[in-house]
Amino acid sequence: MSWRAIYPIMAALLLAALPAGAAPPRKAMVLKIDGAIGPAIADYIAHGIARAQTDDAGLVILKMNTPGGLDGSMRKIIRTILSSKVPVATYVAPSGARAASAGTYITYASAVAAMAPGTNIGAATPVQLGGGGLFGGGGNEKKKSGGEPADTETRKIINDATAYIRSLAELHKRNVKWAEKAVRSAESIAADEALKLNVIDVIADDVPDLLRKIDGRTVIVASKPTELHTAGLKTVTVAPGWRTELLALITDPNVAFILLLIGVYGIIFELATPGMGPGFIGAISLLVALYALNLLPINYAGVALLLLGIGLMVAEIFISSFGIIGIAGILAFGVGSFMMFQSGVPGFELSIAVVAGATIVTAAFLLLVIMLLLRSRKRPVVTGHEALLGAQGETLTWQQDEGKVRVQGEIWRARAAAPLAPGTRVKVVNRVGLVLFVEPA
């Protein structure tokens, strides 16, 4: 018998010798959502669930406390949850936490919906923003007499959101009527009532309690019924990595706004003073800002006004309209900045202090440049033809009506109405080409 034939037999004997239940230990992976749901959180959840599917995780727990978030980021998280082969449980915790607006949709999309005592869920009315969507609680839109929103655009948004959350509720057999109320009327309820109304599946004091209570349940995972085996799972919390932290930083509207200004001003300075280096920094800042703005819902009219304001202030420097164009630029800059990020979601609003500070700094810079230009116009000319008129010098040599003089450290050919003796102090009265016309000073 060859050694190749013996190998399978030895492997089978070793496997048979292993005690029952000696399979690799499974774990429950905990991902934390604490704050507004944006591109960084969506990226973190997507990578976390993908990692869970390769790390032998038996369950992914989204421990959530959120006031809402962006529609695009919320839908990315939900798509990830629905396509995951590992069961996902959303757990609204700790006590005092909430799953408002976007958090309600994510809870409904999860295989297991759980809440800690003293938490609440709901207020899922969407809010429109400059062509992009977000979820910030809403519920204050104007209504027609029948209870429907007054304008067609708002009705389209709310009807779409209602259909979306209804499909999630039907998938996991949860309360459809209350889900519609959460969207249309911004209704919010506490954990106890949510359990009674079949909005959630369980109330748990902590993660170990959650694992005990959902053990043996049959849930829908990747569109298939799956029985959960969660008792005894080891919990492992996965913190956001540097990628998530960096994405969270640059997608902060205040940071993106400042990067945009640095980028625009850096390029302007580079064009004004080539080779000084600000253009390189400006180009990098502008590219990062554009990447961040692409991920955020922005009002493009606000962006246009902001750029128009900067353009008018730059034009004021070159045209010098006695401040009229500059003042119009400052007004356009300030209004555009306020319009750029009109959001009802905490964490995605532009700080009034940042806008006011940027406007004041920009106005001060414009004023400084105008003052320097006015001062430079009052200075005497120090170069060219005019710089020599009136300048004084000394005669070096003279023959008949022409000689040589030293003026401003340079030797020139000179002519005068009468011969001049060497050493005579002279004053320049005219210049023709390289010949100076002088007279005794």
Side-chain angles (χ1 to χ4, degrees), residues 61 71 100 140-141 156 184 194-195 245 293 316 324 377:
I61 300 174
D71 176 66
N140 296 321
E141 66 279 350
K156 287 169 61 179
R184 296 188 180 279
L195 184 62
E245 298 290 350
L293 294 177
E316 174 65 37
I324 297 175
R377 291 178 181 178

Side-chain angles (χ1 to χ4, degrees), residues 146 218 300 388 433:
T218 299
Y300 291 101
L388 289 171

Side-chain angles (χ1 to χ4, degrees), residues 142-413:
K142 293 181 179 179
K143 303 278 187 175
K144 294 196 300 184
S145 57
E148 286 290 322
D151 61 287
T152 304
E153 189 65 25
T154 303
R155 288 201 304 273
K156 287 169 61 179
I157 294 171
I158 291 182
N159 289 337
D160 176 71
T162 303
Y164 189 45
I165 201 168
R166 185 192 302 121
S167 67
L168 298 175
E170 291 172 348
L171 176 64
H172 296 291
K173 296 180 174 55
R174 299 196 179 109
N175 194 320
V176 176
K177 291 185 178 180
W178 183 87
E180 292 182 358
K181 287 183 180 179
V183 174
R184 296 188 180 279
S185 306
E187 187 168 322
S188 183
I189 54 177
D192 291 337
E193 190 175 358
L195 184 62
K196 292 178 183 177
L197 295 177
N198 190 33
V199 172
I200 61 173
D201 304 314
V202 64
I203 294 178
D205 297 327
D206 50 30
V207 172
D209 187 37
L210 172 65
L211 295 177
R212 287 192 300 270
K213 288 183 176 179
I214 64 175
D215 185 47
R217 281 177 175 263
T218 299
V219 296
I220 301 298
V221 179
S223 302
K224 296 179 181 179
T226 303
E227 185 177 347
L228 298 179
H229 301 284
T230 57
L233 288 183
K234 179 182 178 183
T235 57
V236 177
T237 301
V238 178
W242 67 267
R243 172 193 170 97
T244 302
E245 298 290 350
L246 178 61
L247 190 59
L249 177 65
I250 64 175
T251 53
D252 183 309
N254 297 293
V255 175
F257 177 73
I258 293 171
L259 286 174
L260 178 65
L261 296 185
I262 293 174
V264 172
Y265 288 140
I267 292 175
I268 291 174
F269 289 152
E270 181 67 26
L271 294 175
T273 56
M276 295 299 291
F280 179 71
I281 298 173
I284 294 176
S285 299
L286 186 60
L287 288 173
V288 175
L290 292 176
Y291 173 75
L293 294 177
N294 180 59
L295 298 174
L296 296 171
I298 60 173
N299 189 317
Y300 291 101
V303 176
L305 272 175
L306 182 140
L307 296 178
L308 174 63
I310 294 175
L312 290 175
M313 287 185 280
V314 172
E316 174 65 37
I317 295 174
F318 293 99
I319 297 175
S320 184
S321 64
F322 301 100
I324 297 175
I325 295 178
I327 292 173
I330 292 172
L331 291 175
F333 179 90
V335 173
S337 300
F338 278 111
M339 289 176 59
M340 196 169 167
F341 293 100
Q342 289 184 347
S343 169
V345 177
F348 292 97
E349 295 175 328
L350 193 59
S351 169
I352 295 178
V354 171
V355 174
T359 305
I360 292 172
V361 169
T362 302
F365 171 74
L366 175 65
L367 182 62
L368 175 63
V369 172
I370 292 175
M371 290 176 59
L372 292 176
L373 288 175
L374 293 175
R375 185 178 299 177
S376 66
R377 291 178 181 178
K378 296 179 180 179
R379 293 176 181 171
V381 179
V382 294
T383 60
H385 173 79
E386 294 81 1
L388 289 171
L389 299 181
Q392 295 190 6
E394 182 183 8
T395 304
L396 299 179
T397 61
W398 202 270
Q399 293 181 354
Q400 296 179 358
D401 61 344
E402 186 175 299
K404 292 184 177 182
V405 296
R406 179 184 284 111
V407 177
Q408 294 183 350
E410 297 178 333
I411 298 175
W412 294 79
R413 289 174 56 199

